[in-house]
Amino acid sequence: MHILLFGGTTEGRDLASWLAGHGHTVTLCVATGYGAALAPAGPNITVHTGRLDSGAMEALMACAPFERVVDATHPYAVEVSRNIRAASEHTRLPYHRLVREGPCEGDGWLHAPSAASAAEMLAALPGNTLLTTGSKDLRHYAAPALRERIYPRVLPSLDSLSQCLELGFPSAHVLCMQGPFTTEMNLALIGQYQIKTLVTKASGGAGGFWEKAAAAGEAGVKLLIIDRPAAEEGLTYQEMVSFLTAL
């Protein structure tokens, strides 16, 4: 099969490798040059780099004999998934959504429906915060009284670092690091920076959620979870592999 695969996520890269290793041809779409640098290489894998709107997605789908579209984008990339689904419908290509398993409820976990709500909650919580939700929504945490006690952990890219500094986060607080992160690494950061609250998305196992939750529990700090925008239907990674194997 020739599959168009969207997603610079961990499971997206893993699925691209699995497909190529089983003789399929894969075009892997990632949004940034950093995502392209992490993409697997091989004779059956072509990497398309750059953000695409719905029209560009349709054009891409029409330019090659793709047989299926797999959406392995981040669970919080709601608009991107919507555009992929619409483009696949317009081009009449079968669409399949790869979903992450969500976290279960834990004792004492705090929840916020959005980054803006999480920032409001943090303003009322004492102490330093380890922010592990990336650079996209940093503006919500950039109020002067809040950013002075925020430690954003972002990807080691110029774009991520520039966003942090332009928003006024102290340079000594910006942690440019590439995961995955172990529980021990999260614990070390919590101890090093005297963290009292760890903020995360409900990103599931592939996003390192359980290692963050375990570290927060062991260190006795608050865990604040930004909930997913909406429940999704689709296949987990193992279900997707089984489905594609059976075709």
Side-chain angles (χ1 to χ4, degrees), residues 183-184 187 190 211-221:
T183 300
E184 291 73 20
L187 276 169
I190 289 170
E211 288 78 8
K212 288 184 276 190
E218 187 170 337
V221 305

Side-chain angles (χ1 to χ4, degrees), residues 71 73-84 97 136 228-230 232:
D71 175 7
T73 57
H74 197 276
Y76 289 77
V78 177
E79 184 176 355
V80 176
S81 285
R82 186 183 301 120
N83 288 340
I84 297 170
R97 175 61 171 151
K136 181 180 178 182
R228 294 186 185 182
E232 288 190 292

Side-chain angles (χ1 to χ4, degrees), residues 25-194:
T25 302
V26 184
T27 297
L28 174 63
C29 294
V30 298
T32 65
Y34 186 81
L38 297 176
N44 291 343
I45 300 176
T46 300
V47 178
H48 181 282
T49 306
R51 302 185 188 280
L52 301 170
D53 60 19
S54 57
M57 289 176 182
E58 284 191 41
L60 178 61
M61 291 177 189
C63 78
F66 298 113
E67 296 171 60
R68 295 181 183 275
V69 175
V70 176
D71 175 7
T73 57
H74 197 276
Y76 289 77
V78 177
E79 184 176 355
V80 176
S81 285
R82 186 183 301 120
N83 288 340
I84 297 170
R85 185 187 294 271
S88 65
E89 289 177 354
H90 291 162
T91 54
R92 298 184 178 181
L93 282 172
Y95 169 91
H96 308 285
R97 175 61 171 151
L98 193 159
V99 298
R100 290 181 177 178
E101 296 177 349
C104 301
E105 183 60 51
D107 291 338
W109 291 358
L110 303 176
H111 292 267
S114 66
S117 296
E120 292 178 3
M121 294 175 67
L122 288 174
L125 293 173
N128 294 338
T129 295
L130 178 60
L131 184 66
T132 68
T133 56
S135 60
K136 181 180 178 182
D137 296 319
L138 279 175
R139 67 187 185 281
H140 296 294
Y141 307 94
L146 185 58
R147 70 189 178 207
E148 294 299 321
R149 53 190 182 90
I150 294 263
Y151 289 77
R153 188 169 73 188
V154 297
L155 291 173
S157 68
L158 288 176
D159 180 62
S160 295
L161 177 58
S162 295
Q163 288 187 60
C164 291
L165 298 181
E166 288 171 5
L167 289 169
F169 290 94
S171 58
H173 288 199
V174 181
L175 311 176
C176 293
M177 307 173 72
Q178 170 64 46
F181 300 101
T182 63
T183 300
E184 291 73 20
M185 173 60 81
N186 290 319
L187 276 169
L189 293 177
I190 289 170
Q192 175 71 24
Y193 298 108
Q194 301 177 29

Side-chain angles (χ1 to χ4, degrees), residues 226-245:
I226 301 175
D227 293 324
R228 294 186 185 182
E232 288 190 292
E233 293 185 358
L235 302 175
T236 65
Y237 179 83
Q238 290 301 329
E239 289 171 341
M240 184 68 74
V241 167
S242 298
F243 170 76
L244 295 172
T245 299

